[in-house]
Amino acid sequence: MAPSGKAPIYLDYNGTTPIDPEVCRAMSLMMSQHWGNPSSSHYYGVQAKKAIETARRQCAELIGAEPGEMTFMSNGTETINQALKGLAEMGEAEGRRHFITQASEHVAVLEVCKALERHGCEVTYLPVDAEGLVNPQTLEAAITPRTICVSIMHSNNETGALQPIKEIVQRVRKASNRVYVHCDASQSLGKLPVDVNKLDVDLLTMAGHKLYAPKGVGALYKRSTVPALPPLLHGAGQESGRRASTENVIHIVGLGKACEIARRDLEKNQKHMQEMRDRLYQQLLQGLGSKGHLMRQNGPLEARLPNTLSASFFKVEANTLLSEAADEVAASAGAACHSDEVHMSHVLEAMGVSKEWAMGTCRFTLGRESTGQEVDQAAKVLAKIALRLMPGGPDEA
């Protein structure tokens, strides 16, 4: 709680989301009534098992999958580790241990790729353009007979940039060998329609805490035509042998309910978040007045998440701006300045954003609960501080 006693306006929904009240109620029911071990054959275990299968169906319906193609895991990061490390092990016998990803991919993928390199795999990190987009033609050219997997995220968590996944998959399918496509869609779910059949991806990552479910739960979609992957965890063989460990029933139920809500309210929420995002940008411009040209948006203006605004304030230190606004606004910085050095995010670096703009980059992300009043107040606070921190003359830009 801020010193004033009033919580800051939350503009970091891409960082994490609050748990939806309907999700809380569904989880509470499991805690109070259906707390059995789903591997047990008695009444209490059967009720827990039924709840898991309901959640599996709810998750599958959100992305157009079959329930049997969903595996529950502890988070999105685990699903990525399972997908990529499983494919690496599967491809070893064939001598196919080449992976392709992008320079601006989420660190959860990049760090797995680095780990795979240490274990003899080859990884190609594709460049992105100034909007943060991969060129499908460049990706196609990078595929070799040794390629086993392409992993490209559906949307970027910092800029909201939407990758051309459908075209990427079409080009991947031209390969002589079967190359599997993994897609981290954790930021997109609940904000945009995501259909695994229309995208034609082989594996897809889902993270609960980006979707108004609790932290500590995720799901991996694996198309039924993809061979069984060697499991990361070995044990009693839960999740049909795909992921050992007693299921986290309460969180799984929460994820299932969150997916049901996301599917039900998708159109309404998408429209609302986009309106709030655009309103925030316009209010910031208005607040900056004659210095409005010292703020710019990063990433595509159209092909991006409806809730995401990556804004750079010229020669302003983003961490200073957000620190001074911290009692009233909560958001994330895209760069940090220490001892006259700018440590920009790998996403901005991959996009070729200059130091003068990168240092002042903030990520503002809206949610279902965001209101026009909050947006207006946040813009007023941020613009006032930014004006004070900005360079004096417009010619400096």
Side-chain angles (χ1 to χ4, degrees), residues 12-269:
D12 196 26
Y13 285 87
N14 281 11
T16 196
T17 55
I19 302 177
D20 187 281
E22 289 186 62
V23 172
C24 286
R25 289 193 288 272
M27 293 168 61
S28 179
L29 179 65
M30 296 307 300
M31 286 187 279
S32 61
Q33 296 184 26
H34 303 311
W35 39 264
N37 187 324
S39 295
S40 299
S41 58
H42 51 61
Y43 169 84
Y44 297 96
V46 170
Q47 300 312 305
K49 183 66 173 176
K50 285 182 178 178
I52 289 177
E53 295 313 312
T54 295
R56 199 183 309 279
R57 173 182 53 78
Q58 291 167 322
C59 291
E61 287 177 345
L62 177 62
I63 60 173
E66 294 298 323
E69 296 175 317
M70 307 300 300
T71 303
F72 292 116
M73 297 185 177
S74 62
N75 49 48
T77 297
E78 186 187 344
T79 74
I80 293 166
N81 275 263
Q82 170 65 77
L84 273 57
K85 291 179 179 178
L87 288 171
E89 185 174 340
M90 189 176 78
E92 187 170 10
E94 307 172 26
R96 296 206 299 139
R97 305 192 76 200
H98 173 230
F99 289 76
I100 299 173
T101 187
Q102 58 178 329
S104 59
E105 187 70 25
H106 193 281
V107 292
V109 168
L110 294 178
E111 288 301 315
V112 174
C113 286
K114 291 177 184 177
L116 291 174
E117 287 181 297
R118 292 193 293 271
H119 288 83
C121 291
E122 178 187 356
V123 181
T124 298
Y125 299 92
L126 297 172
V128 294
D129 63 20
E131 293 188 332
L133 300 177
V134 166
N135 184 326
Q137 188 174 350
T138 303
L139 187 150
E140 182 181 357
I143 298 173
T144 75
R146 295 189 66 250
T147 306
I148 186 72
C149 175
V150 170
S151 183
I152 301 290
M153 67 200 312
H154 189 265
S155 60
N156 188 274
N157 52 299
E158 291 189 30
T159 66
L162 298 174
Q163 295 294 346
I165 299 297
K166 190 172 182 178
E167 184 181 353
I168 285 171
V169 176
Q170 288 172 346
R171 290 178 179 269
V172 170
R173 297 292 180 238
K174 295 178 183 179
S176 55
N177 293 326
R178 177 70 186 272
V179 176
Y180 301 99
V181 179
H182 166 259
C183 182
D184 177 1
S186 53
Q187 277 298 353
S188 299
L189 297 174
K191 300 166 187 168
L192 291 171
V194 176
D195 187 307
V196 292
N197 294 305
K198 291 181 180 178
L199 295 175
D200 195 27
V201 296
D202 298 297
L203 303 109
L204 182 137
T205 284
M206 178 184 293
H209 77 106
K210 308 291 189 183
L211 194 61
Y212 292 83
K215 299 169 184 65
V217 65
L220 176 66
Y221 159 78
K222 182 181 77 66
R223 189 174 292 280
S224 59
T225 55
V226 177
L229 299 177
L232 282 177
L233 301 179
H234 298 85
Q238 289 86 353
E239 290 294 285
S240 300
R242 298 189 295 261
R243 201 263 184 185
S245 179
T246 300
E247 296 92 339
N248 184 350
V249 183
I250 296 167
H251 283 194
I252 288 171
V253 166
L255 176 58
K257 189 65 178 179
C259 287
E260 179 186 272
I261 296 166
R263 181 169 177 251
R264 180 191 72 199
D265 299 339
L266 180 59
E267 186 176 349
K268 177 185 70 175
N269 290 333

Side-chain angles (χ1 to χ4, degrees), residues 272-288:
H272 172 73
M273 288 186 283
Q274 184 167 331
E275 287 176 352
M276 293 299 101
R277 179 201 68 194
D278 294 345
R279 181 168 177 163
L280 176 61
Y281 179 66
Q282 292 302 322
Q283 289 297 309
L284 283 170
L285 276 180
Q286 184 176 323
L288 293 174

